[in-house]
Amino acid sequence: MDRRDFLKAAAFTTAGAMMGPTVLQRAGSMLASPALAAPGGTLFGFSAQEYEGQSREQLITYLEDLGGVPLDTVHNRFPWQTSLVNKYSKWIVQTGRTPILSWFTRGTGGVSWRPIAEGVHDARIRHEAQSIAAAGWPAYFCFHKEPEDEPSLGTASDWRAAHDRVYELFQQEGATNVTFVACLMASTFKGSAGGSAAWLPPRYDVLGVDGYNRNVGGNWRSFETIFRPSLQVARDRSKPLYVIELGCVEGASGRKGDWMRDAAATTASWPELIGVSYNHEAGQTGKDADMNYRVDTSAAAIQGFRDMVHHAAFAGESGGGTGGGDTGDGDASCEVPRRKLRNRREQVRELQAKLERQRRKTRRLRERLNG
């Protein structure tokens, strides 16, 4: 299946049609439980926001092609009024990837956390829980991650209570296919904003963290420097760790590529780390203004990205890499992930052809009934 065919397939969405659970899920068993990642089984994925006329779907496909491996996950942020089971999250599942759903309460039509905790918005939350339960596919779910950065919406106590209310309602509605990730900023695990103990809610499945190497003032920070404090908290609380957002800017020549390779090597040494999701984005506001985290900012960065996703840390049935420890140099080491990518895309094409046949059959039946 060539790239043109897959781009057509990537744009395909089934109007009103839902897949059965785990039809193309490669990591469903891991997602259904907070077990630690098996060696080489760490999940890898992306968040990608539109730019230069490219849709999120096109960018995810581009990134998969650029790395030469199938992605495990796709992360996206949804505002309060947006349904979590939507065109994009369906596309993520229908193309064989697992969604990471971040649901925020800020913005137009948004709400603060205390009313959520008090049950004012139970109907809204129950509706989303019912939709996800009906969809049936596994997903990671973050309720308003990085709450420390949103003081206008409430206090740490407010967020903890709101998070617990959302958690409780999802359980009541049978949305047990969702793995709850309580996600804070990397700086909070170092003591900022009152420290992680002030924010972590009473019930969640996986500890989440967001962190970036912004190289501000020459302060170049490694993956390990950024995320080790959160790893320690995960260990202390006997929780798996998921890096929901990470990114790196350019530094001296070749340094961004080295940063990515180092990130993979560190990941391989942390069994508590079950997933990594890179942000293929360029910042626009606040501390991210003028920060370009995209993986294709230079030839050296692209090579570092390829080496990262081919590392043994992300190998295995759940991961997207090779079956061994090779870094992806040479055709032989690339053949396994390339074959996996071709096979996965062929599965996608076959599934989509089946759904198209079902739609045609439905149209014919409706024409007969209306005739």
Side-chain angles (χ1 to χ4, degrees):
M1 186 178 188
D2 65 22
R3 175 165 174 76
R4 182 181 299 175
D5 288 338
F6 188 68
L7 281 173
K8 291 178 181 178
F12 176 89
T13 56
T14 56
M18 287 301 299
M19 288 173 54
T22 67
V23 173
L24 288 177
Q25 293 304 313
R26 295 173 290 116
S29 59
M30 176 176 285
L31 292 170
S33 69
L36 300 185
T42 306
L43 301 173
F44 184 85
F46 272 102
S47 173
Q49 300 303 319
E50 301 95 332
Y51 68 97
E52 296 181 355
Q54 298 180 87
S55 68
R56 292 172 296 187
E57 292 88 345
Q58 289 172 323
L59 286 168
I60 291 299
T61 302
Y62 158 72
L63 291 165
E64 199 170 52
D65 282 343
L66 188 66
V69 296
L71 300 178
D72 295 302
T73 63
V74 176
H75 170 228
N76 204 60
R77 314 170 187 93
F78 298 114
W80 178 249
Q81 297 298 335
T82 297
S83 296
L84 297 175
V85 179
N86 55 50
K87 179 180 178 181
Y88 188 49
S89 60
K90 289 178 185 177
W91 178 85
I92 293 168
V93 174
Q94 290 163 352
T95 50
R97 308 170 184 101
T98 298
I100 302 174
L101 308 173
S102 290
W103 195 26
F104 292 89
T105 73
R106 61 173 177 250
T108 303
V111 296
S112 57
W113 300 322
R114 176 50 54 184
I116 292 176
E118 293 172 347
V120 174
H121 300 286
D122 279 6
R124 175 82 187 92
I125 298 164
R126 287 187 187 277
H127 173 76
E128 292 304 317
Q130 292 165 3
S131 296
I132 291 179
W137 28 262
Y140 282 108
F141 174 73
C142 303
F143 171 73
H144 203 113
K145 65 190 188 66
E146 299 190 24
E148 320 95 298
D149 214 25
E150 305 277 0
S152 64
L153 297 177
T155 64
S157 177
D158 293 334
W159 183 80
R160 288 199 313 271
H163 186 285
D164 203 53
R165 185 61 183 169
V166 173
Y167 184 97
E168 177 63 28
L169 294 177
F170 270 56
Q171 306 313 302
Q172 290 179 12
E173 298 299 333
T176 54
N177 49 318
V178 163
T179 298
F180 268 74
V181 183
C183 186
L184 307 177
M185 296 186 293
S187 58
T188 303
F189 293 99
K190 299 178 182 179
S192 295
S196 59
W199 289 92
L200 288 175
R203 293 182 289 180
Y204 60 97
D205 303 311
V206 174
L207 185 67
V209 58
D210 293 348
Y212 295 85
N213 174 32
R214 298 182 174 89
N215 195 27
V216 176
N219 181 23
W220 187 266
R221 301 188 301 156
S222 68
F223 180 95
E224 181 172 9
T225 298
I226 296 168
F227 296 113
R228 179 167 286 283
S230 59
L231 175 72
Q232 188 58 55
V233 173
R235 288 174 173 170
D236 292 344
R237 293 176 176 256
S238 299
K239 293 287 188 182
L241 179 67
Y242 206 124
V243 176
I244 298 294
E245 289 188 20
L246 80 158
C248 179
V249 298
E250 289 283 358
S253 179
R255 205 171 187 190
K256 184 171 182 176
D258 289 340
W259 189 94
M260 294 181 185
R261 283 183 281 268
D262 177 68
T266 302
T267 296
S269 69
W270 292 356
E272 298 88 351
L273 181 55
I274 63 170
V276 171
S277 180
Y278 193 97
N279 269 25
H280 185 69
E281 301 175 7
Q284 298 178 351
T285 61
K287 57 182 174 291
D288 284 321
D290 302 322
M291 299 288 173
N292 193 342
Y293 306 116
R294 296 171 187 146
V295 298
D296 57 0
T297 50
S298 66
I302 291 173
Q303 187 58 53
F305 159 58
R306 288 172 174 160
D307 291 343
M308 176 173 65
V309 297
H310 283 265
H311 193 280
F314 305 112
E317 187 173 345
S318 298
T322 67
D326 204 296
T327 61
D329 296 327
D331 291 339
S333 63
C334 292
E335 181 52 35
V336 172
R338 284 172 180 166
R339 185 169 63 250
K340 290 172 66 177
L341 185 55
R342 288 194 300 269
N343 291 343
R344 208 282 303 282
R345 290 183 172 179
E346 185 62 31
Q347 287 179 318
V348 171
R349 184 167 65 173
E350 291 173 359
L351 175 64
Q352 292 170 343
K354 179 179 179 181
L355 292 171
E356 178 61 29
R357 290 194 297 271
Q358 291 173 342
R359 286 204 305 274
R360 289 198 300 266
K361 182 178 180 180
T362 299
R363 285 197 296 268
R364 287 195 297 268
L365 289 172
R366 286 175 179 172
E367 289 170 359
R368 290 176 58 187
L369 291 172
N370 295 331

Coordinates of all heavy atoms in Angstrom, one line a residue, residues 80 103 111 114-130 161-162 164-166 168-170 172-173:
W80 N -14.4 21.5 27.0 CA -15.5 21.0 27.8 C -16.7 20.7 27.0 O -17.4 19.7 27.2 CB -15.8 22.0 28.9 CG -17.0 21.7 29.8 CD1 -18.2 22.3 29.8 CD2 -17.0 20.6 30.8 NE1 -19.0 21.7 30.8 CE2 -18.3 20.7 31.4 CE3 -16.1 19.7 31.2 CZ2 -18.7 19.8 32.4 CZ3 -16.5 18.8 32.2 CH2 -17.7 18.9 32.8
W103 N -9.4 16.1 28.5 CA -10.7 16.9 28.6 C -10.5 18.0 29.5 O -10.3 17.9 30.7 CB -11.8 15.9 29.0 CG -13.2 16.4 28.8 CD1 -13.6 17.3 27.9 CD2 -14.4 16.1 29.5 NE1 -15.0 17.5 27.9 CE2 -15.4 16.8 29.0 CE3 -14.6 15.2 30.6 CZ2 -16.8 16.6 29.4 CZ3 -15.9 15.1 31.1 CH2 -16.9 15.8 30.5
V111 N -16.3 25.5 32.6 CA -16.7 25.6 34.0 C -15.6 25.5 35.0 O -14.5 24.9 34.6 CB -17.8 24.5 34.3 CG1 -19.0 24.7 33.4 CG2 -17.2 23.1 34.1
R114 N -15.1 23.5 41.3 CA -15.9 23.3 42.5 C -17.3 22.9 42.1 O -17.8 21.9 42.7 CB -15.9 24.6 43.3 CG -16.8 24.5 44.6 CD -16.6 23.3 45.4 NE -15.3 23.1 45.9 CZ -14.9 22.0 46.5 NH1 -15.8 21.1 46.9 NH2 -13.6 21.9 46.9
P115 N -18.0 23.5 41.2 CA -19.3 23.0 40.8 C -19.3 21.6 40.3 O -20.3 20.8 40.5 CB -19.8 24.0 39.7 CG -19.0 25.2 40.0 CD -17.7 24.8 40.5
I116 N -18.3 21.2 39.6 CA -18.1 19.8 39.1 C -18.1 18.9 40.3 O -18.8 17.9 40.4 CB -16.9 19.6 38.3 CG1 -17.0 20.4 37.0 CG2 -16.6 18.1 38.0 CD1 -15.8 20.3 36.1
A117 N -17.3 19.2 41.3 CA -17.2 18.4 42.5 C -18.5 18.3 43.3 O -18.8 17.3 43.9 CB -16.1 19.0 43.4
E118 N -19.3 19.4 43.2 CA -20.6 19.4 43.9 C -21.7 18.8 43.1 O -22.9 18.8 43.6 CB -20.9 20.9 44.2 CG -20.0 21.5 45.2 CD -20.2 23.0 45.4 OE1 -20.9 23.6 44.5 OE2 -19.6 23.6 46.3
G119 N -21.4 18.3 42.0 CA -22.5 17.5 41.2 C -23.3 18.3 40.3 O -24.2 17.8 39.6
V120 N -23.0 19.6 40.1 CA -23.8 20.5 39.2 C -23.7 20.0 37.8 O -24.7 20.2 37.1 CB -23.3 22.0 39.3 CG1 -24.0 22.9 38.3 CG2 -23.4 22.5 40.8
H121 N -22.6 19.4 37.4 CA -22.5 19.1 36.0 C -22.5 17.5 35.8 O -21.9 17.0 34.8 CB -21.2 19.6 35.4 CG -21.1 21.1 35.5 ND1 -21.8 21.9 34.7 CD2 -20.5 22.0 36.4 CE1 -21.6 23.2 35.0 NE2 -20.8 23.3 36.0
D122 N -23.1 16.8 36.7 CA -23.2 15.4 36.6 C -23.7 14.9 35.2 O -23.2 13.9 34.7 CB -24.0 14.8 37.7 CG -23.2 14.7 39.0 OD1 -22.1 15.2 39.0 OD2 -23.7 14.2 40.0
A123 N -24.8 15.5 34.8 CA -25.4 15.1 33.5 C -24.4 15.1 32.3 O -24.4 14.2 31.5 CB -26.7 15.9 33.2
R124 N -23.7 16.2 32.3 CA -22.7 16.3 31.2 C -21.6 15.2 31.3 O -21.2 14.6 30.3 CB -22.0 17.7 31.3 CG -20.9 18.0 30.3 CD -21.4 18.4 29.0 NE -20.3 18.5 28.0 CZ -20.0 17.5 27.2 NH1 -20.6 16.3 27.3 NH2 -19.0 17.6 26.3
I125 N -21.2 15.0 32.5 CA -20.1 14.0 32.7 C -20.6 12.6 32.4 O -20.0 11.8 31.8 CB -19.5 14.1 34.1 CG1 -18.9 15.5 34.3 CG2 -18.5 13.0 34.4 CD1 -18.6 15.9 35.7
R126 N -21.8 12.3 32.9 CA -22.4 11.0 32.6 C -22.6 10.7 31.1 O -22.4 9.6 30.7 CB -23.8 10.9 33.3 CG -23.7 10.7 34.8 CD -25.1 10.4 35.5 NE -25.0 10.5 36.9 CZ -24.6 9.4 37.7 NH1 -24.2 8.3 37.1 NH2 -24.6 9.5 39.0
H127 N -23.0 11.8 30.4 CA -23.2 11.6 29.0 C -21.9 11.2 28.3 O -21.9 10.3 27.4 CB -23.6 12.9 28.3 CG -23.7 12.9 26.8 ND1 -24.7 12.3 26.1 CD2 -22.8 13.4 25.9 CE1 -24.5 12.4 24.8 NE2 -23.3 13.1 24.7
E128 N -20.7 11.8 28.7 CA -19.5 11.4 28.1 C -19.1 10.0 28.5 O -18.5 9.3 27.7 CB -18.4 12.4 28.5 CG -18.6 13.8 27.9 CD -18.6 13.8 26.4 OE1 -17.8 13.0 25.7 OE2 -19.5 14.5 25.8
A129 N -19.3 9.7 29.8 CA -18.9 8.4 30.3 C -19.7 7.3 29.5 O -19.2 6.3 29.1 CB -19.2 8.3 31.8
Q130 N -21.0 7.6 29.3 CA -21.9 6.6 28.6 C -21.4 6.4 27.1 O -21.4 5.3 26.6 CB -23.3 7.1 28.6 CG -24.0 7.0 30.0 CD -25.3 7.9 30.1 OE1 -25.7 8.4 29.1 NE2 -25.8 7.9 31.3
A161 N -11.2 17.2 44.1 CA -12.6 16.8 44.3 C -13.3 16.7 43.0 O -14.1 15.7 42.8 CB -13.3 17.8 45.2
A162 N -13.0 17.6 42.0 CA -13.6 17.5 40.7 C -13.2 16.2 40.0 O -14.0 15.5 39.4 CB -13.3 18.7 39.9
D164 N -12.1 13.5 41.3 CA -12.7 12.3 41.9 C -14.2 12.1 41.6 O -14.7 11.0 41.4 CB -12.6 12.4 43.5 CG -12.6 11.0 44.1 OD1 -11.9 10.1 43.7 OD2 -13.4 10.8 45.0
R165 N -14.9 13.2 41.4 CA -16.3 13.2 41.0 C -16.4 12.6 39.5 O -17.2 11.7 39.3 CB -16.9 14.6 41.0 CG -18.4 14.6 40.7 CD -19.2 13.7 41.7 NE -20.6 13.7 41.4 CZ -21.5 12.8 42.0 NH1 -21.0 12.0 42.9 NH2 -22.7 12.8 41.7
V166 N -15.5 13.0 38.6 CA -15.5 12.5 37.3 C -15.1 11.0 37.3 O -15.8 10.2 36.6 CB -14.5 13.3 36.4 CG1 -14.3 12.6 35.0 CG2 -14.9 14.7 36.3
E168 N -15.6 8.9 39.7 CA -16.8 8.1 40.3 C -17.9 7.9 39.2 O -18.4 6.8 39.1 CB -17.3 8.8 41.5 CG -18.5 8.2 42.1 CD -18.2 6.8 42.7 OE1 -17.1 6.5 43.0 OE2 -19.2 6.0 42.7
L169 N -18.2 9.0 38.5 CA -19.3 8.9 37.5 C -18.9 8.0 36.4 O -19.8 7.3 35.9 CB -19.7 10.3 37.0 CG -20.3 11.2 38.1 CD1 -20.5 12.6 37.5 CD2 -21.5 10.7 38.7
F170 N -17.7 8.0 36.0 CA -17.3 7.1 34.9 C -17.4 5.6 35.4 O -17.8 4.8 34.6 CB -15.8 7.4 34.5 CG -15.7 8.4 33.4 CD1 -16.2 9.7 33.5 CD2 -15.0 8.1 32.2 CE1 -16.1 10.6 32.5 CE2 -14.9 9.0 31.2 CZ -15.5 10.2 31.3
Q172 N -19.5 4.5 37.6 CA -21.0 4.2 37.7 C -21.6 3.9 36.3 O -22.5 3.1 36.2 CB -21.7 5.4 38.4 CG -21.4 5.6 39.8 CD -22.2 6.8 40.4 OE1 -23.1 7.4 39.8 NE2 -21.8 7.2 41.6
E173 N -21.1 4.6 35.3 CA -21.6 4.4 34.0 C -20.9 3.3 33.2 O -21.2 3.1 32.0 CB -21.5 5.7 33.2 CG -22.3 6.9 33.8 CD -23.8 6.6 33.9 OE1 -24.3 5.8 33.0 OE2 -24.5 7.2 34.7

